[in-house]
């Protein structure tokens, strides 16, 4: 058995597990993380510890098999595979940075319709990032534990440039990401907008306020498509059992 204090190169995954779980943990980790097969070593004592060198973390394993079978939406048992759509945008690129800092594997997806790859340049050499040019109006079949669905042009200049594409991105994109979440049992977070309140007649807006939106007004394509995406989240949550939620983001600024 390896001593956990051994100097382990960071590109090698070495997993310390209780003897009885070694084979199962190796198989499950390989299937789940799609890394090169980790080397599995027996833990130096018989505490129920799974220790992964390279991920710089140690985890308790209350349910060794169940925890590693399939998706791990809580992240309780280790780094997650996170899909982030719209990752090259202002907010997406910051979330990507944070998720990588936290040790997760991040699959970033963007079609660069209203953003630039430069927002991701400083992250491209990170070993846990995978970048994919993809338009969310087309289905995407990947295996993930969590989805942050941010893809949609969000400023009037961009969403009015091609209003039809804007509605497709918001609505069909939401359906595809919710379908993906349903299949993989991943958590899904839809980024919505304060625009769902339209020209609000109530200030500040509580979440119970339904808004004051003109479907045929100049912002209708964006506001209504986001409202519909929110309705889809509720439909998939209540009727398809998807662990989905919504965040309504107001105007945001920063570095
Ligand atoms: N989908 C996807 N990736 C997946 C699973 C589904 O892009 O991994 C798409 C699928 O092509 C479909 C949409 O998500 O267009 C909705 O999924 P599904 O048909 O399973 O949902 P339903 O409406 O039947 O519950």
């Amino acid at each position: 058995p390896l001593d956990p204090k051994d100097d382990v190169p960071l590109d090698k995954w070495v997993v310390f597990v209780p003897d009885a779980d070694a084979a199962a943990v190796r198989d499950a980790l390989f299937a789940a993380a799609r890394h090169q097969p980790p080397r599995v070593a027996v833990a130096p004592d018989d505490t129920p510890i799974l220790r992964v060198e390279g991920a710089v973390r140690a985890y308790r394993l209350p349910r060794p098999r169940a925890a590693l079978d399939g998706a791990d939406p809580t992240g309780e048992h280790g780094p997650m595979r996170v899909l982030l759509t719209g990752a090259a945008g202002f907010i997406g690129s910051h979330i990507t940075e944070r998720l990588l800092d936290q040790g997760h594997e991040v699959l970033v997806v963007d079609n660069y319709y209203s953003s630039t790859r430069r927002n991701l340049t400083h992250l491209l050499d990170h070993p846990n990032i995978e970048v994919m040019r993809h338009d969310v109006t087309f289905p995407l079949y990947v295996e993930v534990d969590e989805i942050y669905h941010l893809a949609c042009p969000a400023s009037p200049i961009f969403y009015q440039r091609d209003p039809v594409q804007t509605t497709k991105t918001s609505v069909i994109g939401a359906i595809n990401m919710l379908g993906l979440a349903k299949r993989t049992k991943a958590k899904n977070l839809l980024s919505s907008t304060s625009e769902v309140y339209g020209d609000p007649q109530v200030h500040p807006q509580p979440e119970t306020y339904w808004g004051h939106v003109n479907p045929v007004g100049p912002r209708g394509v964006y506001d209504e498509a986001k409202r519909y995406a929110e309705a889809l989240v509720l439909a998939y949550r209540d009727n398809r059992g998807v662990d989905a939620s919504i965040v309504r983001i107001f105007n945001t600024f920063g570095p």
Side-chain angles (χ1 to χ4, degrees), residues 138-142 175-177 179-180 182-183 236 240:
F138 295 95
L140 178 64
Y141 284 78
V142 290
I175 291 175
N176 284 335
M177 289 305 113
L180 171 61
K182 188 185 78 172
R183 183 180 60 77
Y236 273 83
R240 296 287 196 276

Side-chain angles (χ1 to χ4, degrees), residues 100-191:
L100 290 169
D101 280 352
Q102 291 175 338
H104 300 298
E105 281 183 38
V106 190
L107 171 59
V108 304
V109 162
D110 211 302
N111 68 349
Y112 310 108
Y113 178 84
S114 59
S115 61
T116 156
R117 270 185 298 172
R118 280 194 296 279
N119 284 342
L120 295 171
T121 311
H122 62 300
L123 303 173
L124 294 181
D125 288 336
H126 197 289
N128 290 344
I129 195 171
E130 187 178 348
V131 182
M132 184 189 285
R133 182 190 286 262
H134 174 78
D135 177 343
V136 294
T137 60
F138 295 95
L140 178 64
Y141 284 78
V142 290
E143 310 310 313
V144 290
D145 303 307
E146 263 193 3
I147 302 164
Y148 290 71
H149 177 43
L150 277 75
C152 191
S155 93
I157 293 173
F158 290 119
Y159 69 66
Q160 285 166 352
R161 188 166 76 191
D162 188 342
V164 173
Q165 187 61 25
T166 298
T167 54
K168 287 181 180 174
T169 300
S170 183
V171 173
I172 301 173
I175 291 175
N176 284 335
M177 289 305 113
L178 287 160
L180 171 61
K182 188 185 78 172
R183 183 180 60 77
T184 57
K185 299 188 173 55
K187 255 179 164 171
N188 181 306
L189 177 70
L190 169 76
S191 74

